[in-house]
Amino acid sequence: MLNQIALAHTGEHIFMGSLQRIVPNISVRKVEQTEDRNSLFVKSDALTWDQVLQAEKLANSVIAEGKSIIEHFFPNIDEARKKFPKMRAMEERISG
């Protein structure tokens, strides 16, 4: 069973993916996750609360589908980028 931080992290990916479908030029600037608070900071030329609500509804519908979560393990960041070229990562926090 995934812990709450892992679930929140997965939810962040789902929500951000939903936002990117609705607002293509949006990008993540920072994610903060603790046991009692999760924050997502984004950059966009134009983002409305209506778009945020649309993304929330889309994310909730994806979550309601109950899809499996797939974990990927790589020996290093370069191998991960080969499979997922558009991935975002805080490389200074990754070891190995």
Side-chain angles (χ1 to χ4, degrees):
M1 178 79 143
L2 294 174
N3 67 39
Q4 292 296 35
I5 292 178
L7 288 172
H9 181 79
T10 301
E12 176 262 322
H13 281 279
I14 294 168
F15 181 66
M16 192 59 209
S18 298
L19 270 175
Q20 288 174 322
R21 285 182 181 86
I22 294 165
V23 185
N25 68 336
I26 199 166
S27 62
V28 175
R29 287 295 171 234
K30 184 178 181 182
V31 176
E32 290 181 358
Q33 295 173 319
T34 64
E35 288 191 31
D36 60 345
R37 184 179 176 140
N38 301 292
S39 301
L40 174 65
F41 300 86
V42 298
K43 180 178 179 184
S44 175
D45 293 335
L47 177 64
T48 67
W49 284 110
D50 184 56
Q51 291 169 318
V52 172
L53 180 59
Q54 289 176 36
E56 180 183 12
K57 289 178 180 178
L58 179 56
N60 284 337
S61 70
V62 169
I63 292 167
E65 291 175 18
K67 293 182 177 183
S68 298
I69 296 171
I70 301 169
E71 291 181 275
H72 299 271
F73 297 92
F74 300 95
N76 57 55
I77 193 81
D78 293 329
E79 291 300 315
R81 287 202 191 281
K82 285 180 187 175
K83 178 146 177 97
F84 301 104
K86 293 184 178 184
M87 78 170 209
R88 56 183 177 83
M90 294 184 69
E91 294 185 39
E92 63 276 5
R93 293 180 57 193
I94 298 173
S95 62

